[in-house]
Amino acid sequence: EHGYPQGIVFQADLTEPDVEARFEAQRRFPAVRGVRHQLYWDSRPLYQYAPRPDLCNTPQFRKGFALLEKFGYHFELQVFASQAQYAVELVRDFPKVKFILLHAGMLTDPDSPQMVAQWRDALAQLAAYPNVHVKISGLSMFTYGSTYAQLRQVIRDSIQIFGTERIIYGSNFPLEKLWISYADLIGAYKKIMSEYPAAA
């Protein structure tokens, strides 16, 4: 009635043999813009959503992934920094597909210089491809709450690496309300953004 939501992303297991039927079923909704298949994998069992770190480069995944180009959808890329090499191979091989790197690349420990360096390197590798954008959201998912300084670091580093033209913002609510209120999150965004010129 009111035109909302204006964009929908649907979840699909791209390794399923009949995944094209899921795409066809979603095509009838004109607001569908993209697809999500969570690929994140870490040595810690809690962070192993995908069965293996390089799932995105298996033949069965690639076969399903090719449908994004056919249907004109973008892909929501959710990986850890340690998986950057695999994600880069996927991005490189599908230059016509637009990628949205979720949760600013999922920095798991902003207090660890080693993890921050690995995360920044992963962002730089992916930013080298113009079909990759980064989504600022979910910044407290792995820290169970973020300080203003931590939020500012992730946002400013993401802007430095991707530029203002390839960044989008999200709240990740309702999940994020475990750690921060909506008003405080948006207030932090506004305060950090105030450091940049209005045009940016």
Side-chain angles (χ1 to χ4, degrees):
E1 181 181 352
H2 300 288
Y4 292 96
Q6 294 177 324
I8 299 170
V9 173
F10 69 90
Q11 171 75 21
D13 182 345
L14 297 177
T15 65
E16 290 181 352
D18 61 344
V19 68
E20 187 163 5
R22 185 180 296 273
F23 276 69
E24 290 289 357
Q26 297 294 331
R27 193 208 295 257
R28 65 191 176 98
F29 301 107
V32 169
R33 301 283 187 269
V35 179
R36 179 179 297 191
H37 179 150
Q38 291 161 306
L39 295 170
Y40 65 89
W41 186 99
D42 184 84
S43 58
R44 293 162 288 185
L46 181 63
Y47 295 163
Q48 294 177 359
Y49 186 87
R52 52 190 282 186
D54 62 344
L55 179 67
C56 65
N57 292 324
T58 60
Q60 63 269 34
F61 182 91
R62 290 294 187 96
K63 182 179 179 182
F65 190 89
L67 293 169
L68 278 93
E69 188 171 333
K70 175 181 176 181
F71 284 77
Y73 295 148
H74 78 257
F75 183 66
E76 306 252 319
L77 179 64
Q78 191 167 353
V79 293
F80 290 119
S82 60
Q83 298 173 272
Q85 62 185 27
Y86 310 122
V88 164
E89 291 177 36
L90 181 68
V91 169
R92 179 198 63 206
D93 292 345
F94 290 91
K96 294 181 180 179
V97 174
K98 188 172 288 185
F99 290 78
I100 310 293
L101 179 64
L102 296 185
H103 307 320
M106 304 206 300
L107 175 59
T108 57
D109 187 357
D111 294 322
S112 165
Q114 181 181 356
M115 290 299 297
V116 171
Q118 183 186 43
W119 167 75
R120 282 183 56 90
D121 180 66
L123 260 60
Q125 289 185 56
L126 289 163
Y129 295 87
N131 54 325
V132 181
H133 294 63
V134 63
K135 181 179 180 183
I136 306 293
S137 65
L139 303 185
S140 299
M141 284 178 55
F142 301 101
T143 55
Y144 310 118
S146 296
T147 66
Y148 177 80
Q150 289 170 338
L151 293 172
R152 183 176 180 271
Q153 177 186 22
V154 172
I155 292 172
R156 287 183 61 89
D157 284 7
S158 298
I159 291 172
Q160 181 186 51
I161 294 168
F162 275 87
T164 57
E165 300 82 8
R166 289 195 286 156
I167 290 186
I168 61 174
Y169 295 86
S171 71
N172 203 43
F173 267 67
L175 298 179
E176 209 73 3
K177 72 180 181 180
L178 288 166
W179 327 116
I180 191 171
S181 74
Y182 190 81
D184 286 346
L185 176 66
I186 300 305
Y189 277 4
K190 287 182 175 180
K191 185 176 179 182
I192 295 163
M193 292 302 101
S194 72
E195 300 176 23
Y196 295 89

